[in-house]
Amino acid sequence: MPDTASRPFTAAAFNQYLAEHQLMAARCETCGALHLPPRAICPRCHGDQLTWQATSGRGRLAAFTAVSIVPTALAAEGHGRDNPYLCGIVELDEGPKISARLLGLDPRHAAAIQIGTPVQAEYLTRGEGDRQTTLLAFRA
Amino acid sequence: MPPRATPLPRGVAVVGAGMSQFGAFPDKSGRDLFVEAFLEMRRALDKGFDPASVDAVYVGNFSSDLFEGQAHTAPLVTDAVGLLPRPATRVEDACASGGVALRQGVMAIASGLADVVLVGGFERMTKLPTAEVTDTLAAAGDTLFETPAGFTFPGFYAAIATAYMHRYGMTPEHLMHVALKNHANGALNPKAQFNVTLADWMRGRVEAARKKGKPLPAWQSEMDFLHDDGANPQIAWPLRLFDCSPITDGAACLLLAAADRAGEFTDRPIHIIGSGQASDAALHDRDDLTSLGAARLAAGQAYAMAGVTARDIRIAEVHDCFTIAEVIATEDLGFFEPGHGYGMAEDGVTARAGAKPINTSGGLKSKGHPVGASGVAQAVEVWKQMRGEAGPRQVPGDVPLALTHNVGGTGNTAVVHIFERRN
Ligand SMILES: [Zn+2]
C-alpha cells in the first residue's frame, strides 16, 4: 500500500485504513471541509485537491437503533430476533458523521441509550484470508 | 437552487387511474399485476381508451432484477398491455421510482415530445424470503458506507426516530397513533393489503387463539396490543412491526394527457400543476437527521410552480414507509412546524375528518408498499378523492387541491406533485 499522501480517495483505501486501525477522513485543500467517508471531489467547493487526515476516532452518538429483523450478513454473525445488535450514526469531535456498529451498550435496553453518549472508534475483523474485512465500530 | 416559480410550459392532466389489488399473490408475476392495474385504469376512462393515442410508457420499478430475476421490464409490461412499439422506459429511484416515473411522464408531455403517456409502477416482492427482501431493500442505502454498519431499512428510519425523539420529545406511543389512523383508513380501502382496522385484526387474533385452545390475549385496547412484544414485536427499536409498511405485491397505472387533449378521454381531468424533485446524501452526511432536505426542496419547487402554499392543500398522500416517515413528511411539506407533526394523528388532525387528512388510502402502512408502484398508487388515491369516487373513505367536502409525496431510500430522492381539479 502506498504512503498516506498518494492513496486514492476510494472505499477500498478507506477500508484499508480501517484494517490498519485508522479512521481517516479527506480534507479539502481548497475550502478546508473535512469529509467522512472520503471523497475525490469536495461537494462544498467542488475542488479536487484533497488530502487524507487522521481523525481522533472520538465522537458522540447522534442516532441509533437496535435491529431485531436482521440482514443475512448479520444473521451469519448470530444476530436475530433474540439477539439484536446496535448500529447508529456518530458525530466525530472533528465534525463529520459516519455510520457504524455500536459496542458497549445493551441492545435489549435500547430505551436507556442516550443520544450524545461519548464513543470511541474500534475496528472489527470479519472473515478470513482474502475475504477478511474490517468494520468500523464505536464503543461507549 | 431556488424553486422555479414558472408553471409547466404545457399543461398536463391525469385522465385515467387504476391499481391492482395490493397484497401477497404467489400466482402472479409483476407483469400480471401491471396488467391488472392497466385494465382498471382503462375501464376508468370516461370516454374509452384508444391505444393508438399513447405516445410513450414510463414504468417505476425498484428491483425486479433481485425480486423476480427479471431486468429490462419496461418493454415486457408494455407488450403485455398491447402498447408495443412505444418507447418504454424503466425508472429506478428506490421507493420513489413510481413518483419519479410520473414526473418523467409529466416532463415528456410538458416538453411537447409526447401528448399522451402511460405511467405505471409495479413491484413483486413476496417471492423472496424476508431476510432476502431485507437485503434487497437495504441495497437502496449506501452499500459501501451504510449497510456494512448493519443498517437495514427499518434501521435507518429507527435511527431518524431516535434523533427526532431526542430533539422534540416524541415517544413511540405517538407513532402508534399514526399506525392506528392509517389502518382505520385502509380498512375502508378494498384494494389495501391490510383491509382491516387494528381492532378487527385483534379480534382475529383472539378468535384464532380460541380455536387453537391457546390462552386468550388480555388486550383491553389497541394500545395494549401495540405494546405487546409478542403481537407487535420490535423490528428496529423504537420501530415495531406495526410501525413498518408491509412487503407487498402490487401495481398502479395512470394515463396522462396534454391538458388541451384531456377532453378526448374525460370531462373531469385532474391537472398536475406542480412537480418537484431533489436528491440528498447518505443519512450520516446530513446536517439534520430529523427532516428530509430533499423533500423540503421538492415541496418548495412544487408549491412555487403551482403558485399555492401548504395551507391550500386539502389532502395529501405521503410516504409513510414507517410511521416516523409520515410525521417528518407532514413537517417537510409545511403542513406543521418542525417538531409539531408527531401529535397530529393522536389529535385527529390528520384523520379523514380532520383539518388535514393524510393518507386516506391507508398509506403505505396499511394499503401496502410494492416499492415501485407506491408513488403511482398515491396519485390513484388523490384522483379518486378529487373526483369524489373514494367510496366510504371519501373525505368530507370538496378536494380542489391535493399533493403526493414519494421518497426513495432515506430521502436520497424525494418527489412531490400537486394536483388540481377545475370542474
Ligand atoms: Zn472544498
Side-chain angles (χ1 to χ4, degrees):
Chain A
M1 181 54 68
D3 71 1
T4 293
S6 58
R7 292 192 197 183
F9 296 96
T10 59
F14 176 76
N15 289 334
Q16 177 60 34
Y17 276 126
L18 292 184
E20 296 165 18
H21 291 198
Q22 289 193 85
L23 177 56
M24 297 290 281
R27 178 172 293 285
C28 174
E29 293 287 286
T30 312
C31 76
L34 194 63
H35 301 296
L36 188 72
R39 295 167 171 277
I41 300 171
C42 174
R44 195 162 93 177
C45 75
H46 305 279
D48 61 1
Q49 299 299 307
L50 293 105
T51 50
W52 286 104
Q53 180 176 312
T55 71
S56 64
R58 280 192 305 273
R60 287 173 186 279
L61 198 53
F64 67 95
T65 182
V67 180
S68 299
I69 299 299
V70 307
T72 48
L74 276 292
E77 293 183 21
H79 291 290
R81 201 175 286 257
D82 300 319
N83 183 24
Y85 62 88
L86 287 165
C87 62
I89 294 174
V90 170
E91 182 169 357
L92 290 181
D93 288 355
E94 292 88 344
K97 296 196 283 294
I98 185 88
S99 299
R101 307 277 181 97
L102 300 174
L103 308 171
L105 296 162
D106 185 354
R108 288 169 213 275
H109 294 96
I113 298 173
Q114 296 290 320
I115 302 278
T117 298
V119 292
Q120 175 69 46
E122 275 197 18
Y123 305 89
L124 302 176
T125 304
R126 295 286 181 266
E128 288 177 3
D130 289 349
R131 306 197 60 177
Q132 190 173 87
T133 58
T134 306
L135 298 171
L136 179 62
F138 285 85
R139 184 175 292 277
Chain B
M1 200 170 57
R4 186 180 290 262
T6 53
L8 289 172
R10 187 175 182 223
V12 180
V14 184
V15 297
M19 60 184 278
S20 74
Q21 197 71 40
F22 278 15
F25 306 110
D27 297 330
K28 288 182 181 171
S29 67
R31 213 179 306 175
D32 297 331
L33 294 161
F34 191 91
V35 170
E36 188 181 327
F38 176 83
L39 285 172
E40 187 185 83
M41 180 216 79
R42 197 167 83 170
R43 283 193 292 269
L45 287 168
D46 296 335
K47 299 185 183 179
F49 178 65
D50 175 10
S53 66
V54 179
D55 297 313
V57 180
Y58 291 92
V59 181
N61 177 266
F62 165 50
S63 195
S64 57
D65 324 43
L66 296 173
F67 285 128
E68 295 187 89
Q70 176 68 67
H72 204 182
T73 50
L76 293 169
V77 299
T78 299
D79 185 15
V81 299
L83 289 175
L84 294 178
R86 308 306 187 291
T89 307
R90 170 174 160 188
V91 178
E92 192 270 303
D93 268 321
C95 310
S97 300
V100 176
L102 170 56
R103 185 171 152 90
Q104 293 299 312
V106 169
M107 288 161 67
I109 293 172
S111 73
L113 275 177
D115 280 359
V116 179
V117 172
L118 173 66
V119 171
F122 76 92
E123 211 76 52
R124 164 76 169 96
M125 300 174 72
T126 66
K127 202 173 161 189
L128 288 186
T130 299
E132 287 174 47
V133 173
T134 302
D135 288 353
T136 300
L137 293 174
D142 182 340
T143 60
L144 294 179
F145 298 110
E146 289 183 319
T147 46
F151 270 117
T152 59
F153 249 82
F156 282 125
Y157 278 90
I160 290 172
T162 62
Y164 188 102
M165 286 160 64
H166 175 72
R167 183 164 177 185
Y168 296 122
M170 182 185 74
T171 66
E173 283 71 28
H174 289 108
L175 296 177
M176 291 172 179
H177 285 281
V178 176
L180 267 170
K181 185 262 295 175
N182 286 349
H183 277 280
N185 290 345
L188 301 175
N189 185 350
K191 292 292 178 70
Q193 182 166 11
F194 292 102
N195 181 221
V196 291
T197 63
L198 275 185
D200 293 338
W201 182 271
M202 289 159 57
R203 270 190 286 277
R205 293 284 299 260
V206 171
E207 205 45 51
R210 196 189 314 277
K211 274 186 187 151
K212 287 183 190 164
K214 290 188 172 172
L216 300 186
W219 312 310
Q220 297 295 312
S221 69
E222 284 103 329
M223 293 305 273
D224 286 351
F225 171 84
L226 291 171
H227 279 103
D228 181 336
D229 285 335
N232 189 21
Q234 297 287 351
I235 302 295
W237 190 91
L239 302 183
R240 293 170 180 261
L241 181 62
F242 276 83
D243 290 298
C244 305
S245 55
I247 296 165
T248 308
D249 305 326
C253 281
L254 302 170
L255 195 66
L256 306 185
D260 53 24
R261 289 194 55 189
E264 295 171 29
F265 302 90
T266 178
D267 293 329
R268 294 190 301 146
I270 301 297
H271 295 268
I272 297 178
I273 60 169
S275 178
Q277 183 185 342
S279 55
D280 204 351
L283 184 62
H284 57 227
D285 223 356
R286 301 183 203 157
D287 291 338
D288 188 352
L289 300 178
T290 64
S291 166
L292 304 187
R296 288 188 173 269
L297 290 170
Q301 292 167 25
Y303 288 135
M305 185 185 287
V308 304
T309 68
R311 196 173 309 168
D312 301 322
I313 301 298
R314 175 74 182 93
I315 64 165
E317 287 286 303
V318 309
H319 196 88
D320 61 325
C321 49
F322 302 94
T323 48
I324 179 65
E326 174 169 314
V327 171
I328 288 177
T330 56
E331 297 177 6
D332 289 339
L333 291 167
F335 298 156
F336 312 118
E337 292 296 313
H340 289 245
Y342 67 82
M344 295 300 172
E346 183 173 10
D347 293 345
V349 176
T350 53
R352 279 192 321 285
K356 195 68 99 178
I358 301 294
N359 287 330
T360 55
S361 68
L364 280 47
K365 173 74 199 78
S366 166
K367 181 178 57 184
H369 183 22
V371 172
S374 284
V376 182
Q378 291 177 325
V380 175
E381 176 68 8
V382 301
W383 157 270
K384 289 189 179 191
Q385 290 282 355
M386 297 180 90
R387 286 166 47 108
E389 295 169 354
R393 68 181 187 283
Q394 182 71 41
V395 297
D398 197 25
V399 187
L401 280 172
L403 179 150
T404 59
H405 157 282
N406 186 202
V407 168
T410 55
N412 314 91
T413 293
V415 57
V416 171
H417 284 98
I418 296 172
F419 302 79
E420 181 185 44
R421 202 200 65 235
R422 294 175 184 162
N423 52 6

